[in-house]
Amino acid sequence: MTKLDPIIAVKNVEASADWYYQIFGFKNLHGGKNFAVLATENNEIILCLHKWGEHNHPSLTEDSIPSGNGLLLYFRTTDLKMIKEKAIELGCQILEDIHLNTNSLKMEFSLKDPDGYYLTVSEYHIYEG
């Protein structure tokens, strides 16, 4: 079995973990100032947060490069409207309002997290050939 645990560099791990909890409800399985493991209520790891410059990982050391270039965090959810409402309540800028993605034929919206990573939140679907 192979699984992917995406890790993104952030300025403040605890604040970012709290933001993802408030928006998506992800719990922090491994808290701390330098690293966090965010998971669903079923303990499925979704995203890891790593403080810029810690532990000498080559791609996580240069915080002067804009966050997220070449990366899109794409979340599939059954709670699309609720997540959007939470994002608005927290003052997040919605970059694209809920609309139909003509490729997936699913509704989605987009925003940025506090570190500038671009997120697209889509209604849940299973990928089909």
Side-chain angles (χ1 to χ4, degrees), residues 21-114:
Y21 171 75
Q22 289 181 64
I23 298 288
F24 294 99
F26 298 149
K27 59 184 177 176
N28 190 347
L29 297 180
H30 176 82
K33 293 182 185 263
N34 296 325
F35 190 71
V37 178
L38 306 183
T40 67
E41 66 274 356
N42 297 327
N43 291 330
E44 179 184 354
I45 296 171
I46 297 295
L47 185 64
C48 300
L49 308 174
H50 196 290
K51 185 173 181 180
W52 277 109
E54 293 296 321
H55 307 125
N56 299 315
H57 297 300
S59 65
L60 304 178
T61 58
E62 187 55 58
D63 66 348
S64 65
I65 298 169
S67 298
N69 186 31
L71 174 69
L72 169 63
L73 296 174
Y74 185 81
F75 294 90
R76 295 173 295 134
T77 183
T78 57
D79 299 318
L80 182 74
K81 290 181 181 176
M82 182 183 68
I83 289 170
K84 183 181 176 225
E85 289 171 9
K86 288 180 183 179
I88 290 170
E89 287 173 13
L90 288 173
C92 298
Q93 179 185 7
I94 305 300
L95 302 173
E96 290 183 303
D97 205 353
I98 294 177
H99 66 281
L100 179 67
N101 177 319
T102 56
N103 294 314
S104 68
L105 301 179
K106 302 297 176 193
M107 301 303 286
E108 67 182 30
F109 74 96
S110 298
L111 70 157
K112 283 192 176 183
D113 80 354

